[in-house]
Amino acid sequence: MGSVETEPLLSGFSAGEETPRSNSKHVSDGELERILTDDTLPFLHRLGAAFWVEFKLLFFLAAPAVFVYVVNYVMSMSTQMFSGHLGNLELAASSLGNTGIQLLAYGLMLGMGSAVETLCGQAYGAQKFGMLGIYMQRSTVLLSLAGILMTVVYVFSEPILLFLGESAEIAAAAALFVYGLIPQIFAYAVNFPIQKFMQAQSIVAPSAYISAGALVLHLVLSWLVVYKIGLGLLGASLTLSLSWWIIVIAQFVYIVKSPKCKQTWQGFTLQAFSGLPSFFKLSAASAVMLCLETWYFQILVLLAGLLPQPELALDSLSVCTTLSGWFNMISVGFQAAASVRVGNELGAGNPKSASFSVVVVTAISFIISAIIAIVILVLRDVISYAFTGGEVVAAAVSDLCPLLALCIVLNGVQPVLSGVAVGCGWQAFVAYVNVGCYYGVGLPLGAVLGFYFDYGAKGIWLGMLGGTAMQTVILLWVTFRTNWNKEVEEAAKRLSKWEDKKEEALD
């Protein structure tokens, strides 16, 4: 990282010094930077004008991105709902398989894919368009290799769950569900590089249309496969895998055919296999950063399976974590927007625009999350019936809803800050923060509250939220004290380094 110094995020709006600037016609076209450095305008006038420019950029970038992430998550959630209405065992099994095993692959693939987010975002801002397609292909190669390793984990999911102490009945049912998700691993391996490649260019609306169509098809196919054909858990997960592959194929066809990608996609190249060790280092740091976050709440579900009455604990937690994950997709959409905006502006040499974008996107995401948390508290007594029947589960979910509301509020800020970190290339630093906060504080505290003090699922979740709160405070402090002029310099060095690797490969 090395460039986090004491220059507050909103400092410099009244300064008139010249900043390095790219000649690229990137997303904001330099308008935001011109407003923020215009000393002839009063501060409040500048602030209002800059907010309006940034808000429009974020809206057209974040809104489709939020929609894509929500729709993709709804596909997984609907699969869990179809399974849950088969019975409480099926709900517990799909929850454990989807949250306890499947998130291993999701976190690894999405984390490794964020390396593309850093490099493509900054390269697009610097107008080095030809590098985007190479980065995407290189990432796909690495993620596919990682997918082979994840397949082994999926195949041995039942003995793994038994080793972790889950009941034999739930472990067997969860393993059956997980077997149908094996094709989804490789859909992830292709999808995330494609997704980051398109997002870096602010091409998000086509993905939204594709995801919407895939969701409709997924719901129809799931209903037919699970209820009419009667394939149960295995059919539900196989349908989910098929739906992801439909999204992947449709997006790739768009990239090949669209004139918007003419400069950034120049066909398949052997350069995708060059420089893999160096690319792997950034991908690994990205994966560790995100996996530590993803697995943190995955452990929550695994620990719940060790509590007394594990089926009730898993059912109530699965409802809450599913809802949390669903609404978290809104923040993940803003995370993508923050990463693209910060990366583009740093690549174009606009430090004040990058810093101002961080302020705006964080504030908007927080406000939306706070509103959702209030709605959750109002509907706490009835919200579980969308997933499964039974007053016992409904009461348990209602009891957990205050923690769910707190989790949603924290997730209105934390993912956005992670997006800023990705846009700047701070993945390794954030990984260290995650280790200390999540696994040094949150997880031990949750285990003590849940098991030693006998607070059950609520204690586990409360302790782990403590780790999340600590991590959020640290990232807030670091982000708001960043020297953005030095981040521009770091972005230029990073792009120069990777462009040199391209030239070496051509030689």
Side-chain angles (χ1 to χ4, degrees), residues 3 15 36 53 62 78 86 122 129 138 156 194 222 224 255 284 337 353 357 396 473 480 498:
S3 56
L36 294 174
V53 170
S78 65
L86 292 172
Q122 294 181 1
F129 301 126
R138 196 171 288 166
F156 292 98
I194 286 177
S222 295
L224 288 172
I255 289 173
S353 298
S357 179
V473 170
F480 279 71
W498 285 101

Side-chain angles (χ1 to χ4, degrees), residues 324-349:
S324 175
W326 186 13
F327 294 123
N328 191 44
M329 290 301 103
I330 298 175
S331 297
V332 171
F334 280 105
Q335 177 187 45
S339 176
V340 171
R341 290 289 300 119
V342 170
N344 285 172
E345 297 291 359
L346 292 179

Side-chain angles (χ1 to χ4, degrees), residues 4-52:
V4 177
E5 296 186 3
T6 56
E7 181 176 319
L9 200 60
L10 286 174
S11 70
F13 283 4
S14 60
E17 72 274 10
E18 291 297 322
T19 56
R21 187 172 299 173
S22 168
N23 293 322
S24 66
K25 186 177 176 60
H26 66 294
V27 179
S28 70
D29 199 23
E31 181 183 4
L32 183 59
E33 192 76 7
R34 289 193 293 272
I35 293 172
L36 294 174
T37 55
D38 187 355
D39 285 342
T40 64
L41 297 175
F43 175 76
L44 291 179
H45 185 89
R46 256 183 296 162
L47 196 61
F51 175 82
W52 179 240

